[in-house]
Amino acid sequence: SQTIHQWPATLVQPVGSPLSLECTVEGTSNPNLYWYRQAAGRGLQLLFYSVGIGQISSEVPQNLSASRPQDRQFILSSKKLLLSDSGFYLCAWKPLTIRSHNEQFFGPGTRLTVL
Amino acid sequence: GEDVEQSLFLSVREGDSSVINCTYTDSSSTYLYWYKQEPGAGLQLLTYIFSNMDMKQDQRLTVLLNKKDKHLSLRIADTQTGDSAIYFCAESINGATNKLIFGTGTLLAVQP
């Protein structure tokens, strides 16, 4: 069966510090991978998605970046965090199938607080 | 354009039915989804409906789709306190991105 992991679960970082959040998927190959942010009281905002190793598409201009060094690993990074980067970060994956079904499976999330 | 809207809050009594509504704007959406998010957790897929269907029932859940009005609803029968959560609807945008566009989420509070 497929599982998705995110770490850390919670993180408190000072403004201006770097960030690295990791997401890994097990039990599948060639998934589409997604990073979302959920700010307090807001819906989900798609930040990045990836259809393959080294292939990253950005949805929203910001000081965050994403990388996919391996097929089932997706990393969200920042060189210098801003207060507005606080939020709940969710990683999701979608199986590579020929169907048009776009069901995505979500990880447990990382709660980031920037002080 | 891509925009999905939901009411922010719904309060019901335990045992009553809950109806959560959603409107979307992209008529080319092929699948529409309902996700549940419990406090501090990720999203869990509850159910989905294909755009050529009007209704789908799955145990206590009933999804109604009015494609003409681009309106989607989720009815939860016999609502329990364990149903308290945020419910997101999402529309599927096909193509290379395979994106899901999520609504703002509806917080369902179930009173005992």
Side-chain angles (χ1 to χ4, degrees):
Chain A
S1 64
Q2 300 90 1
T3 55
I4 178 168
H5 305 278
Q6 286 186 245
W7 65 88
T10 59
L11 189 60
V12 180
Q13 291 284 97
V15 169
S17 64
L19 173 74
S20 181
L21 302 182
E22 190 163 345
C23 170
T24 58
V25 182
E26 296 177 356
T28 188
S29 296
N30 301 317
N32 282 9
L33 295 171
Y34 305 85
W35 276 113
Y36 291 88
R37 177 169 60 203
Q38 186 179 25
R42 303 287 296 275
L44 290 169
Q45 180 185 37
L46 178 63
L47 301 176
F48 301 95
Y49 67 93
S50 171
V51 299
I53 295 174
Q55 300 179 60
I56 309 294
S57 296
S58 174
E59 288 291 299
V60 182
Q62 59 214 320
N63 70 320
L64 299 172
S65 61
S67 62
R68 185 170 177 175
Q70 300 179 44
D71 181 44
R72 289 167 289 178
Q73 184 183 31
F74 206 21
I75 297 172
L76 183 70
S77 304
S78 174
K79 292 181 180 178
K80 287 186 177 182
L81 283 168
L82 306 173
L83 286 174
S84 57
D85 291 325
S86 293
F88 192 48
Y89 288 82
L90 289 159
C91 180
W93 70 277
K94 173 191 171 300
L96 180 66
T97 68
I98 60 174
R99 298 178 304 168
S100 60
H101 198 342
N102 282 342
E103 176 182 349
Q104 293 179 16
F105 300 91
F106 283 80
T110 295
R111 173 75 59 191
L112 172 65
T113 303
V114 182
L115 301 176
Chain B
E2 305 166 352
D3 198 10
V4 182
E5 294 185 352
Q6 300 178 238
S7 53
L8 291 180
F9 184 74
L10 176 66
S11 179
V12 299
R13 291 187 178 275
E14 191 174 17
D16 288 349
S17 292
S18 306
V19 180
I20 302 171
N21 295 302
C22 171
T23 57
Y24 61 98
T25 56
D26 194 320
S27 58
S28 66
S29 296
T30 53
Y31 286 92
L32 295 131
Y33 302 84
W34 283 104
Y35 281 85
K36 177 184 180 182
Q37 184 183 31
E38 296 183 353
L43 273 66
Q44 173 194 3
L45 179 68
L46 282 180
T47 187
Y48 65 90
I49 189 167
F50 188 48
S51 59
N52 69 352
M53 297 170 65
D54 297 324
M55 185 183 82
K56 180 179 180 181
Q57 188 157 0
D58 183 1
Q59 299 181 337
R60 291 191 298 122
L61 305 179
T62 302
V63 179
L64 294 177
L65 175 61
N66 181 330
K67 199 171 181 182
K68 174 176 173 290
D69 295 337
K70 299 188 185 69
H71 183 265
L72 182 73
S73 67
L74 174 69
R75 179 177 180 270
I76 305 173
D78 188 25
T79 312
Q80 303 298 307
T81 54
D83 294 323
S84 294
I86 300 175
Y87 290 81
F88 291 93
C89 65
E91 61 175 340
S92 171
I93 307 296
N94 286 325
T97 63
N98 295 310
K99 290 195 300 185
L100 289 180
I101 305 299
F102 285 86
T104 50
T106 299
L107 175 61
L108 175 64
V110 182
Q111 311 300 324

